[in-house]
Amino acid sequence: MENPATRPEVKSALSGTTGIDIRKSPTLRTDWIYAAVPLGDGMAARAAASLDEMNSRLSLWWRRSLVGVLLSLAVLFGLSFLVARLLSRPLEMAAATADRYARGDFAHRLPAQGSLEMSRLTESLGAMAMELDAKFKLITRQREEMSAVFEAMSEGVLALDADGRIMLVNKAAENILGLRGDTAGKHIGIAARNPDFGDAVKKTAAAGQPLEREIRIPRDRGGDILAQVHAAPMREDGKIVGILTVIRDVTRLRRLEIMRRDFVANVSHELRTPVTTIQSCLETLIEDSGTGKDEMGTFLEMALRNTRRMGAIIGNLLLLAGMESGANGDSGASARHPVKPVLDDALSLCQGDAEARGVTVNSDCNEETSALMNPQLVTHALVNLLDNAIKYGPEGGVIEVTARHNGDRTEITVRDKGPGIAPQYQSRIFERFFRINGSSRIKEGSGLGLALAKHIALAQDGDITIDSAIGSGSAFTLILPRA
């Protein structure tokens, strides 16, 4: 061997530091790794190993380490899979049970198993199933009850979506509109084929407000049907999502009303001529009887008074019949008129009766007060109100008549100091021929005055209200549109 003192690693060790070098051995002609460490006192120790042997040992170590790691991973994976299965199995069973509940099968119950948390989940699912089962049974029962009521209704009910397609319809609506077959999802214009009905639905959807109108539905046999349609928008979050219509067959009702009006009109016309003749004869006899204070004159005056009463009844019946049938084409309010001339006319017509009973009528109405009205009909209504106030008020009493604007309304109030009207009669006081039996309010009259005044007010798009109490008099207010 050559002297190793000249080797790099030995030099480093002799100088006091550890030396390492890799080179080809001149003796063995292979790569070796050399290491030298200082020993002190000018000495060093050197070791050498074949690099091929070191590499083979490292390769063996790496292979063994890799095998160990792979075995460890396999063991960990197996353990993880087992733990996951143990944990996921109850969850899968819970998920399957929840799916069965979603399909409506609430009879299934999940057995308690697994951890405390899983047991609590199982108990919660069971309680939820019981609650849902009870709710669904309640909803089903209510739906069946509503369906029975819905189908038993005499009024037709029709629900449309925003596009005008039928969502819900009952038998009555099908019969009234003449719908045939399965109409669910069909457009109402195609299913019903009634322009008036379609127009009502369109106007309701466009205006976003309820609409009520009467339409005629043609029929091939049996005559047309008159139907009263009430349409209202259905909203969701402020947006119109459909139209709900209620349809009522009023054909028979309208026929009965026409028959009743025709009967009243015919009877009134038949009575008018003989009553007028009797009245003329009695007036002539009274003029020829001198003073009229003898027995004959008394009877003649009584006959004349009753004849005039019959004439008033006939006149009121004719006016009512004409207003209801639309014969009085000008019954509605067509233009703005001042109230004071109308009120003055009514007061002048009642002045004689008021003086006969010593009643003072005070009027308070500005020249600027006006209303949309038919002056002749409103005068007739005011005469009826004043006549009642004079007739039922005390002799020598005072009647106050006021006319005021109140927002978009004009209110004319006739207030008397009479005995008043009990609350139980106030809702019926505007019925025809209604009389308060057993009270001091029974006087000679037709029983049509207030009914006629009410009809006149309604024809002007107005109304009449009453404010009365026993012993405090009565106040009737005629309400008319101001604009």
PDB file of all heavy atoms in Angstrom, residues 320 323 381 384-385 429-431 448-460 462-466 478:
ATOM      1  N   LEU A 320    -141.005  53.332  -8.649  1.00  0.00           N
ATOM      2  CA  LEU A 320    -140.113  52.243  -8.247  1.00  0.00           C
ATOM      3  C   LEU A 320    -139.940  51.227  -9.364  1.00  0.00           C
ATOM      4  O   LEU A 320    -138.827  50.799  -9.676  1.00  0.00           O
ATOM      5  CB  LEU A 320    -140.671  51.546  -6.997  1.00  0.00           C
ATOM      6  CG  LEU A 320    -140.342  52.177  -5.645  1.00  0.00           C
ATOM      7  CD1 LEU A 320    -141.096  51.451  -4.545  1.00  0.00           C
ATOM      8  CD2 LEU A 320    -138.854  52.132  -5.376  1.00  0.00           C
ATOM      9  N   MET A 323    -137.727  52.644 -12.078  1.00  0.00           N
ATOM     10  CA  MET A 323    -136.308  52.719 -11.723  1.00  0.00           C
ATOM     11  C   MET A 323    -135.670  51.341 -11.752  1.00  0.00           C
ATOM     12  O   MET A 323    -134.537  51.171 -12.218  1.00  0.00           O
ATOM     13  CB  MET A 323    -136.151  53.345 -10.331  1.00  0.00           C
ATOM     14  CG  MET A 323    -136.525  54.821 -10.288  1.00  0.00           C
ATOM     15  SD  MET A 323    -136.334  55.499  -8.632  1.00  0.00           S
ATOM     16  CE  MET A 323    -134.570  55.301  -8.409  1.00  0.00           C
ATOM     17  N   ALA A 381    -137.051  62.441  -3.467  1.00  0.00           N
ATOM     18  CA  ALA A 381    -136.536  61.796  -2.261  1.00  0.00           C
ATOM     19  C   ALA A 381    -136.589  62.740  -1.073  1.00  0.00           C
ATOM     20  O   ALA A 381    -136.981  62.346   0.043  1.00  0.00           O
ATOM     21  CB  ALA A 381    -135.110  61.303  -2.500  1.00  0.00           C
ATOM     22  N   ASN A 384    -140.080  63.104   0.309  1.00  0.00           N
ATOM     23  CA  ASN A 384    -140.464  61.967   1.154  1.00  0.00           C
ATOM     24  C   ASN A 384    -139.848  62.069   2.544  1.00  0.00           C
ATOM     25  O   ASN A 384    -140.505  61.777   3.559  1.00  0.00           O
ATOM     26  CB  ASN A 384    -140.035  60.664   0.493  1.00  0.00           C
ATOM     27  CG  ASN A 384    -140.897  60.325  -0.715  1.00  0.00           C
ATOM     28  OD1 ASN A 384    -142.002  60.819  -0.851  1.00  0.00           O
ATOM     29  ND2 ASN A 384    -140.371  59.481  -1.592  1.00  0.00           N
ATOM     30  N   LEU A 385    -138.576  62.473   2.622  1.00  0.00           N
ATOM     31  CA  LEU A 385    -137.928  62.616   3.931  1.00  0.00           C
ATOM     32  C   LEU A 385    -138.576  63.736   4.739  1.00  0.00           C
ATOM     33  O   LEU A 385    -138.816  63.590   5.954  1.00  0.00           O
ATOM     34  CB  LEU A 385    -136.437  62.891   3.738  1.00  0.00           C
ATOM     35  CG  LEU A 385    -135.601  61.769   3.104  1.00  0.00           C
ATOM     36  CD1 LEU A 385    -134.139  62.204   2.968  1.00  0.00           C
ATOM     37  CD2 LEU A 385    -135.678  60.484   3.922  1.00  0.00           C
ATOM     38  N   ILE A 429    -136.281  49.836   8.053  1.00  0.00           N
ATOM     39  CA  ILE A 429    -137.129  51.005   7.858  1.00  0.00           C
ATOM     40  C   ILE A 429    -137.256  51.375   6.386  1.00  0.00           C
ATOM     41  O   ILE A 429    -138.223  52.040   5.981  1.00  0.00           O
ATOM     42  CB  ILE A 429    -136.574  52.200   8.676  1.00  0.00           C
ATOM     43  CG1 ILE A 429    -137.649  53.278   8.850  1.00  0.00           C
ATOM     44  CG2 ILE A 429    -135.336  52.758   8.014  1.00  0.00           C
ATOM     45  CD1 ILE A 429    -138.774  52.842   9.725  1.00  0.00           C
ATOM     46  N   PHE A 430    -136.296  50.917   5.552  1.00  0.00           N
ATOM     47  CA  PHE A 430    -136.325  51.260   4.123  1.00  0.00           C
ATOM     48  C   PHE A 430    -137.003  50.171   3.284  1.00  0.00           C
ATOM     49  O   PHE A 430    -136.979  50.258   2.053  1.00  0.00           O
ATOM     50  CB  PHE A 430    -134.907  51.501   3.601  1.00  0.00           C
ATOM     51  CG  PHE A 430    -134.231  52.683   4.240  1.00  0.00           C
ATOM     52  CD1 PHE A 430    -133.262  52.504   5.213  1.00  0.00           C
ATOM     53  CD2 PHE A 430    -134.580  53.972   3.876  1.00  0.00           C
ATOM     54  CE1 PHE A 430    -132.642  53.583   5.803  1.00  0.00           C
ATOM     55  CE2 PHE A 430    -133.968  55.070   4.471  1.00  0.00           C
ATOM     56  CZ  PHE A 430    -132.996  54.878   5.434  1.00  0.00           C
ATOM     57  N   GLU A 431    -137.601  49.154   3.919  1.00  0.00           N
ATOM     58  CA  GLU A 431    -138.332  48.149   3.164  1.00  0.00           C
ATOM     59  C   GLU A 431    -139.692  48.685   2.751  1.00  0.00           C
ATOM     60  O   GLU A 431    -140.307  49.484   3.458  1.00  0.00           O
ATOM     61  CB  GLU A 431    -138.515  46.880   4.010  1.00  0.00           C
ATOM     62  CG  GLU A 431    -137.215  46.174   4.349  1.00  0.00           C
ATOM     63  CD  GLU A 431    -137.458  44.939   5.186  1.00  0.00           C
ATOM     64  OE1 GLU A 431    -138.641  44.556   5.349  1.00  0.00           O
ATOM     65  OE2 GLU A 431    -136.475  44.359   5.685  1.00  0.00           O
ATOM     66  N   LEU A 448    -144.173  53.649   1.361  1.00  0.00           N
ATOM     67  CA  LEU A 448    -143.212  53.537   0.275  1.00  0.00           C
ATOM     68  C   LEU A 448    -142.227  54.703   0.230  1.00  0.00           C
ATOM     69  O   LEU A 448    -141.290  54.685  -0.564  1.00  0.00           O
ATOM     70  CB  LEU A 448    -143.944  53.469  -1.080  1.00  0.00           C
ATOM     71  CG  LEU A 448    -144.737  52.197  -1.359  1.00  0.00           C
ATOM     72  CD1 LEU A 448    -145.572  52.374  -2.621  1.00  0.00           C
ATOM     73  CD2 LEU A 448    -143.795  51.015  -1.513  1.00  0.00           C
ATOM     74  N   GLY A 449    -142.445  55.711   1.031  1.00  0.00           N
ATOM     75  CA  GLY A 449    -141.627  56.916   0.932  1.00  0.00           C
ATOM     76  C   GLY A 449    -140.146  56.665   1.144  1.00  0.00           C
ATOM     77  O   GLY A 449    -139.298  57.058   0.327  1.00  0.00           O
ATOM     78  N   LEU A 450    -139.792  55.992   2.258  1.00  0.00           N
ATOM     79  CA  LEU A 450    -138.383  55.746   2.548  1.00  0.00           C
ATOM     80  C   LEU A 450    -137.783  54.747   1.567  1.00  0.00           C
ATOM     81  O   LEU A 450    -136.616  54.872   1.179  1.00  0.00           O
ATOM     82  CB  LEU A 450    -138.224  55.252   3.988  1.00  0.00           C
ATOM     83  CG  LEU A 450    -138.495  56.281   5.089  1.00  0.00           C
ATOM     84  CD1 LEU A 450    -138.324  55.648   6.462  1.00  0.00           C
ATOM     85  CD2 LEU A 450    -137.567  57.484   4.944  1.00  0.00           C
ATOM     86  N   ALA A 451    -138.562  53.726   1.169  1.00  0.00           N
ATOM     87  CA  ALA A 451    -138.056  52.774   0.187  1.00  0.00           C
ATOM     88  C   ALA A 451    -137.740  53.468  -1.127  1.00  0.00           C
ATOM     89  O   ALA A 451    -136.710  53.204  -1.766  1.00  0.00           O
ATOM     90  CB  ALA A 451    -139.078  51.654  -0.026  1.00  0.00           C
ATOM     91  N   LEU A 452    -138.626  54.371  -1.546  1.00  0.00           N
ATOM     92  CA  LEU A 452    -138.396  55.096  -2.784  1.00  0.00           C
ATOM     93  C   LEU A 452    -137.192  56.029  -2.662  1.00  0.00           C
ATOM     94  O   LEU A 452    -136.370  56.140  -3.589  1.00  0.00           O
ATOM     95  CB  LEU A 452    -139.655  55.882  -3.160  1.00  0.00           C
ATOM     96  CG  LEU A 452    -139.625  56.630  -4.485  1.00  0.00           C
ATOM     97  CD1 LEU A 452    -139.341  55.659  -5.622  1.00  0.00           C
ATOM     98  CD2 LEU A 452    -140.942  57.363  -4.719  1.00  0.00           C
ATOM     99  N   ALA A 453    -137.063  56.701  -1.521  1.00  0.00           N
ATOM    100  CA  ALA A 453    -135.910  57.573  -1.312  1.00  0.00           C
ATOM    101  C   ALA A 453    -134.602  56.781  -1.352  1.00  0.00           C
ATOM    102  O   ALA A 453    -133.591  57.230  -1.900  1.00  0.00           O
ATOM    103  CB  ALA A 453    -136.050  58.309   0.024  1.00  0.00           C
ATOM    104  N   LYS A 454    -134.617  55.568  -0.781  1.00  0.00           N
ATOM    105  CA  LYS A 454    -133.424  54.711  -0.797  1.00  0.00           C
ATOM    106  C   LYS A 454    -133.065  54.327  -2.227  1.00  0.00           C
ATOM    107  O   LYS A 454    -131.894  54.382  -2.624  1.00  0.00           O
ATOM    108  CB  LYS A 454    -133.700  53.461   0.038  1.00  0.00           C
ATOM    109  CG  LYS A 454    -132.528  52.492   0.141  1.00  0.00           C
ATOM    110  CD  LYS A 454    -131.518  52.965   1.155  1.00  0.00           C
ATOM    111  CE  LYS A 454    -130.489  51.896   1.452  1.00  0.00           C
ATOM    112  NZ  LYS A 454    -129.523  52.296   2.469  1.00  0.00           N
ATOM    113  N   HIS A 455    -134.062  53.934  -3.015  1.00  0.00           N
ATOM    114  CA  HIS A 455    -133.801  53.551  -4.400  1.00  0.00           C
ATOM    115  C   HIS A 455    -133.268  54.739  -5.206  1.00  0.00           C
ATOM    116  O   HIS A 455    -132.377  54.584  -6.043  1.00  0.00           O
ATOM    117  CB  HIS A 455    -135.076  53.007  -5.044  1.00  0.00           C
ATOM    118  CG  HIS A 455    -135.312  51.558  -4.773  1.00  0.00           C
ATOM    119  ND1 HIS A 455    -135.722  51.095  -3.534  1.00  0.00           N
ATOM    120  CD2 HIS A 455    -135.177  50.462  -5.555  1.00  0.00           C
ATOM    121  CE1 HIS A 455    -135.846  49.778  -3.583  1.00  0.00           C
ATOM    122  NE2 HIS A 455    -135.519  49.360  -4.805  1.00  0.00           N
ATOM    123  N   ILE A 456    -133.816  55.914  -4.970  1.00  0.00           N
ATOM    124  CA  ILE A 456    -133.333  57.102  -5.683  1.00  0.00           C
ATOM    125  C   ILE A 456    -131.882  57.382  -5.326  1.00  0.00           C
ATOM    126  O   ILE A 456    -131.052  57.681  -6.196  1.00  0.00           O
ATOM    127  CB  ILE A 456    -134.233  58.311  -5.361  1.00  0.00           C
ATOM    128  CG1 ILE A 456    -135.622  58.111  -5.987  1.00  0.00           C
ATOM    129  CG2 ILE A 456    -133.601  59.603  -5.852  1.00  0.00           C
ATOM    130  CD1 ILE A 456    -136.620  59.180  -5.609  1.00  0.00           C
ATOM    131  N   ALA A 457    -131.542  57.256  -4.042  1.00  0.00           N
ATOM    132  CA  ALA A 457    -130.152  57.490  -3.629  1.00  0.00           C
ATOM    133  C   ALA A 457    -129.209  56.483  -4.263  1.00  0.00           C
ATOM    134  O   ALA A 457    -128.123  56.850  -4.750  1.00  0.00           O
ATOM    135  CB  ALA A 457    -130.050  57.435  -2.104  1.00  0.00           C
ATOM    136  N   LEU A 458    -129.608  55.217  -4.266  1.00  0.00           N
ATOM    137  CA  LEU A 458    -128.756  54.192  -4.871  1.00  0.00           C
ATOM    138  C   LEU A 458    -128.609  54.419  -6.368  1.00  0.00           C
ATOM    139  O   LEU A 458    -127.537  54.164  -6.941  1.00  0.00           O
ATOM    140  CB  LEU A 458    -129.331  52.798  -4.591  1.00  0.00           C
ATOM    141  CG  LEU A 458    -129.355  52.365  -3.122  1.00  0.00           C
ATOM    142  CD1 LEU A 458    -130.038  51.013  -2.978  1.00  0.00           C
ATOM    143  CD2 LEU A 458    -127.930  52.298  -2.560  1.00  0.00           C
ATOM    144  N   ALA A 459    -129.675  54.893  -7.022  1.00  0.00           N
ATOM    145  CA  ALA A 459    -129.591  55.166  -8.452  1.00  0.00           C
ATOM    146  C   ALA A 459    -128.622  56.306  -8.748  1.00  0.00           C
ATOM    147  O   ALA A 459    -128.077  56.395  -9.852  1.00  0.00           O
ATOM    148  CB  ALA A 459    -130.977  55.500  -9.002  1.00  0.00           C
ATOM    149  N   GLN A 460    -128.380  57.196  -7.780  1.00  0.00           N
ATOM    150  CA  GLN A 460    -127.429  58.289  -7.950  1.00  0.00           C
ATOM    151  C   GLN A 460    -126.019  57.911  -7.471  1.00  0.00           C
ATOM    152  O   GLN A 460    -125.167  58.779  -7.270  1.00  0.00           O
ATOM    153  CB  GLN A 460    -127.881  59.526  -7.142  1.00  0.00           C
ATOM    154  CG  GLN A 460    -129.340  59.875  -7.266  1.00  0.00           C
ATOM    155  CD  GLN A 460    -129.728  60.319  -8.662  1.00  0.00           C
ATOM    156  OE1 GLN A 460    -129.165  61.254  -9.187  1.00  0.00           O
ATOM    157  NE2 GLN A 460    -130.674  59.624  -9.244  1.00  0.00           N
ATOM    158  N   GLY A 462    -125.396  56.865  -4.575  1.00  0.00           N
ATOM    159  CA  GLY A 462    -125.314  57.371  -3.217  1.00  0.00           C
ATOM    160  C   GLY A 462    -125.933  56.408  -2.222  1.00  0.00           C
ATOM    161  O   GLY A 462    -125.992  55.199  -2.455  1.00  0.00           O
ATOM    162  N   ASP A 463    -126.461  56.948  -1.110  1.00  0.00           N
ATOM    163  CA  ASP A 463    -127.044  56.101  -0.075  1.00  0.00           C
ATOM    164  C   ASP A 463    -127.831  56.978   0.879  1.00  0.00           C
ATOM    165  O   ASP A 463    -127.792  58.225   0.800  1.00  0.00           O
ATOM    166  CB  ASP A 463    -125.944  55.351   0.671  1.00  0.00           C
ATOM    167  CG  ASP A 463    -126.488  54.126   1.415  1.00  0.00           C
ATOM    168  OD1 ASP A 463    -127.708  53.888   1.339  1.00  0.00           O
ATOM    169  OD2 ASP A 463    -125.687  53.441   2.070  1.00  0.00           O
ATOM    170  N   ILE A 464    -128.562  56.337   1.789  1.00  0.00           N
ATOM    171  CA  ILE A 464    -129.260  57.036   2.868  1.00  0.00           C
ATOM    172  C   ILE A 464    -128.913  56.342   4.176  1.00  0.00           C
ATOM    173  O   ILE A 464    -128.961  55.113   4.263  1.00  0.00           O
ATOM    174  CB  ILE A 464    -130.789  57.038   2.648  1.00  0.00           C
ATOM    175  CG1 ILE A 464    -131.167  57.966   1.499  1.00  0.00           C
ATOM    176  CG2 ILE A 464    -131.507  57.496   3.909  1.00  0.00           C
ATOM    177  CD1 ILE A 464    -132.654  58.100   1.284  1.00  0.00           C
ATOM    178  N   THR A 465    -128.572  57.131   5.181  1.00  0.00           N
ATOM    179  CA  THR A 465    -128.275  56.586   6.505  1.00  0.00           C
ATOM    180  C   THR A 465    -129.256  57.178   7.512  1.00  0.00           C
ATOM    181  O   THR A 465    -129.869  58.231   7.264  1.00  0.00           O
ATOM    182  CB  THR A 465    -126.844  56.913   6.929  1.00  0.00           C
ATOM    183  OG1 THR A 465    -126.664  58.342   7.002  1.00  0.00           O
ATOM    184  CG2 THR A 465    -125.841  56.338   5.930  1.00  0.00           C
ATOM    185  N   ILE A 466    -129.384  56.484   8.641  1.00  0.00           N
ATOM    186  CA  ILE A 466    -130.305  56.922   9.689  1.00  0.00           C
ATOM    187  C   ILE A 466    -129.570  56.974  11.014  1.00  0.00           C
ATOM    188  O   ILE A 466    -128.741  56.110  11.319  1.00  0.00           O
ATOM    189  CB  ILE A 466    -131.534  55.976   9.782  1.00  0.00           C
ATOM    190  CG1 ILE A 466    -132.469  56.454  10.896  1.00  0.00           C
ATOM    191  CG2 ILE A 466    -131.115  54.538   9.976  1.00  0.00           C
ATOM    192  CD1 ILE A 466    -133.766  55.671  10.984  1.00  0.00           C
ATOM    193  N   LEU A 478    -129.176  61.981   3.259  1.00  0.00           N
ATOM    194  CA  LEU A 478    -129.097  61.584   1.856  1.00  0.00           C
ATOM    195  C   LEU A 478    -127.677  61.894   1.367  1.00  0.00           C
ATOM    196  O   LEU A 478    -127.257  63.047   1.379  1.00  0.00           O
ATOM    197  CB  LEU A 478    -130.145  62.350   1.034  1.00  0.00           C
ATOM    198  CG  LEU A 478    -130.117  62.156  -0.477  1.00  0.00           C
ATOM    199  CD1 LEU A 478    -130.412  60.710  -0.829  1.00  0.00           C
ATOM    200  CD2 LEU A 478    -131.095  63.099  -1.157  1.00  0.00           C
TER     201      LEU A 478
END
